[in-house]
Amino acid sequence: MKRLFSILAIVFLMAFGTANATTNAATVATTVATTQEAATTDDAAEEDLTFHQELKKRFIEGGPGFMGIVLLCLILGLAIAIERIIFLNLSSTNTKKLTQNVEDALQSGGIEAAKEVCRNTKGPVASIFYQGLDRADDSLESAEKAVVAYGGVQMGQLEKNVSWISLFIALAPMLGFMGTVIGMIQAFDKIQSAGGMDATLVAGGIKVALLTTVFGLIVAIILQVFYNYIVAKIDSIVNDMEDSSITLMDMLSRYKK
């Protein structure tokens, strides 16, 4: 009888131990799975960062000081570039059509009719035509001088504020390089304060320093594209102004005869 009780007790202890072991194993497995899921979730969250979130993260890591100044250069440069592009597109006219309309009006209605056509047309070419026609009653020399003088005025209006874009193009990478130098100095200060070479301190400082340089170069590249487009547009309009001025003087010379 005692042996039976002993056997039952041993079976009970073994069963209880096995249950505890199973429970503990399940708990450990659950904990490991939870940890792995959390790590996987964190990795997925890092991988699933959108472009805007990644850009914001890098901007904050680069430091709000110089990064904010470089961002201001980008905003101001883009504002001026967009304003210039709108102005230049509004200043573009169909010079061939305008020249033909002025010539037809000059032959049919004289100087006043041609001036009326210029008044009803927007753009620097029409303004130059008007100034030349307005002096045509005096002499061809006076008309030519008026065209040349007013052409210079129109060129000044076309190139207005363009120099600011070139300034921001040069300033953005320079500010980025300055942020890099300051970041390196701060990294070496941390190494000196720590009293030893710590790879984490060096890597963090260099990372912050290089982010300012990258952002400055990106701003300069963006503004350079807009600047080249604006310069090309200005050159195109100026060429039209010069060709149209020559055509106007030829029309006035034939009209005077």
Side-chain angles (χ1 to χ4, degrees):
M1 195 71 179
K2 290 181 179 180
R3 184 177 295 178
L4 180 61
F5 283 131
S6 299
I7 293 172
L8 291 174
I10 292 171
V11 171
F12 176 76
L13 289 174
M14 290 178 64
F16 182 75
T18 304
N20 284 339
T22 305
T23 305
N24 291 334
T27 304
V28 172
T30 305
T31 305
V32 172
T34 304
T35 305
Q36 290 178 348
E37 286 181 5
T40 305
T41 304
D42 293 340
D43 293 339
E46 276 189 30
E47 292 177 357
D48 292 341
L49 285 177
T50 62
F51 176 76
H52 180 267
Q53 291 172 340
E54 183 69 21
L55 187 63
K56 182 179 179 181
K57 175 186 173 184
R58 298 298 182 184
F59 184 86
I60 295 173
E61 288 178 351
F66 281 95
M67 297 289 274
I69 298 175
V70 175
L71 180 61
L72 183 62
C73 291
L74 176 62
I75 294 172
L76 294 177
L78 285 178
I80 296 174
I82 292 171
E83 185 271 333
R84 283 292 89 192
I85 290 172
I86 294 173
F87 178 81
L88 293 174
N89 286 329
L90 292 176
S91 299
S92 300
T93 54
N94 190 345
T95 54
K96 291 183 179 181
K97 182 178 179 181
L98 174 63
T99 302
Q100 187 63 43
N101 291 337
V102 170
E103 187 174 7
D104 294 341
L106 194 63
Q107 292 175 356
S108 60
I111 299 293
E112 291 300 324
K115 288 167 66 176
E116 185 64 25
V117 172
C118 295
R119 274 194 293 264
N120 295 329
T121 306
K122 295 181 180 180
V125 177
S127 299
I128 291 173
F129 273 20
Y130 183 85
Q131 295 298 322
L133 292 169
D134 195 39
R135 304 293 192 281
D137 290 335
D138 298 337
S139 63
L140 289 177
E141 289 78 10
S142 298
E144 185 177 0
K145 289 180 179 178
V147 167
V148 172
Y150 203 71
V153 173
Q154 290 297 318
M155 281 188 61
Q157 292 182 357
L158 294 175
E159 296 174 351
K160 184 180 179 182
N161 295 328
V162 175
S163 60
W164 287 103
I165 302 177
S166 60
L167 172 64
F168 293 136
I169 291 173
L171 194 61
M174 291 173 64
L175 288 171
F177 292 144
M178 184 180 293
T180 299
V181 173
I182 292 177
M184 296 294 290
I185 292 173
Q186 291 176 351
F188 284 113
D189 286 340
K190 291 179 181 179
I191 294 172
Q192 185 178 9
S193 299
M197 191 70 175
D198 190 354
T200 305
L201 294 176
V202 177
I206 294 176
K207 178 181 178 181
V208 171
L210 293 179
L211 282 172
T212 58
T213 301
V214 170
F215 196 67
L217 292 174
I218 291 173
V219 170
I221 291 170
I222 293 172
L223 294 181
Q224 186 68 51
V225 173
F226 282 95
Y227 178 80
N228 286 355
Y229 173 80
I230 291 171
V231 170
K233 192 71 174 177
I234 291 174
D235 291 340
S236 176
I237 295 175
V238 169
N239 289 333
D240 288 341
M241 289 165 54
E242 292 175 351
D243 293 340
S244 300
S245 299
I246 296 172
T247 304
L248 175 64
M249 298 311 301
D250 291 341
M251 286 190 298
L252 291 177
S253 178
R254 291 194 298 269
Y255 176 76
K256 287 288 184 179
K257 293 179 181 180

